[in-house]
Amino acid sequence: RPWAAPINEMRGQAQRMEALIADLLKLARLEAEGQQARQDMLDVPSLLKGCVEDAKSVSKGQHRFEAEIAEDLWLLGREVEVQSIFTNLIANAVQYTPAGGIIRVRWWSDGEGAYYSVADTGIGISETDLPRLTERFYRVDVGRSRASGGTGLGLSIVKHALECHEARMKIESEIGVGSTFICQFPPHRVQRRAVSAQADAI
């Protein structure tokens, strides 16, 4: 059927536009609400385990996942935004790590707050691109853009969601070696639950 290819292309464009609009609306909501919306005590260990399982499904066995999650470490925040932070960073690691690579997820704390990190053995990011990664629609290079299929707003959403939680992100990366994204949440948002402190390997 000669029209099958153009129809599939139009369907793909419509889906990309739908994703773009959804991300733009999410950004607008984050900017409008700031820290004013209702905050809940979040079971981060459960949220993270779900995110890792979802990433495994997307990976389809192409990557090795390692997770170290403090079971008693919860967070005061908004679930939708925190879930967005977790999901976007793990999804990026899957997207930009070749088959056979390793993706490591950690959730821990010290005297300065709680930390969420995603480290991969992926293609890496150049030092000149790092400062601009959270800009809207910024793409590192043509090859990376073509491989992504995303909206170019994922890290912008992560940045705003972190700001809503008075948190910050540090990025370390080396071309051909991999990247590590570390999010730090302030101490007053951290709560220890009545569970024995332990790390859970997935």
Side-chain angles (χ1 to χ4, degrees):
R1 291 179 291 183
W3 59 85
I7 288 176
N8 285 335
E9 176 61 25
M10 285 188 288
R11 182 183 294 115
Q13 290 178 357
Q15 290 170 340
R16 287 190 290 273
M17 185 61 68
E18 183 180 2
L20 176 60
I21 291 170
D23 279 353
L24 284 170
L25 288 172
K26 190 179 296 183
L27 265 177
R29 189 184 72 249
L30 284 169
E31 291 174 342
E33 290 180 349
Q35 298 173 26
Q36 304 305 312
R38 184 172 61 90
Q39 310 270 310
D40 299 309
M41 194 54 64
L42 306 178
D43 182 355
V44 171
S46 294
L47 287 176
L48 271 180
K49 289 174 189 175
C51 290
V52 172
E53 288 305 316
D54 289 344
K56 285 182 178 180
S57 297
V58 173
S59 170
K60 297 178 180 177
Q62 295 184 82
H63 306 92
R64 190 173 93 223
F65 288 84
E66 298 176 358
E68 188 178 327
I69 301 170
E71 289 285 349
D72 64 339
L73 189 59
W74 287 38
L75 188 73
L76 179 65
R78 298 202 295 268
E79 182 171 340
V80 173
E81 278 74 32
V82 170
Q83 181 98 34
S84 182
I85 294 167
F86 294 165
T87 301
N88 270 298
L89 294 184
I90 296 178
N92 278 353
V94 172
Q95 186 72 49
Y96 298 119
T97 301
I102 303 170
I103 297 168
R104 298 181 178 91
V105 176
R106 289 189 66 207
W107 173 244
W108 79 101
S109 69
D110 63 17
E112 297 182 4
Y115 302 83
Y116 166 64
S117 71
V118 179
D120 63 55
T121 57
I123 62 177
I125 306 158
S126 73
E127 188 174 346
T128 55
D129 287 313
L130 285 176
R132 301 190 61 191
L133 277 185
T134 57
E135 291 181 14
R136 297 182 189 190
F137 304 114
Y138 182 73
R139 297 303 184 101
V140 171
D141 57 43
V142 175
R144 190 177 172 101
S145 301
R146 189 178 293 118
S148 168
T151 62
L153 292 171
L155 289 178
S156 292
I157 290 172
V158 169
K159 176 187 175 183
H160 281 281
L162 286 169
E163 288 174 351
C164 288
H165 291 81
E166 305 157 279
R168 58 189 179 184
M169 180 167 63
K170 177 182 178 182
I171 307 171
E172 301 170 348
S173 189
E174 185 177 344
I175 294 291
V177 176
S179 304
T180 301
F181 291 75
I182 305 170
C183 304
Q184 180 182 1
F185 296 87
H188 66 268
R189 288 187 173 272
V190 179
Q191 180 172 327
R192 293 282 182 179
R193 306 296 285 187
V195 180
S196 59
Q198 60 182 353
D200 183 56
I202 298 179

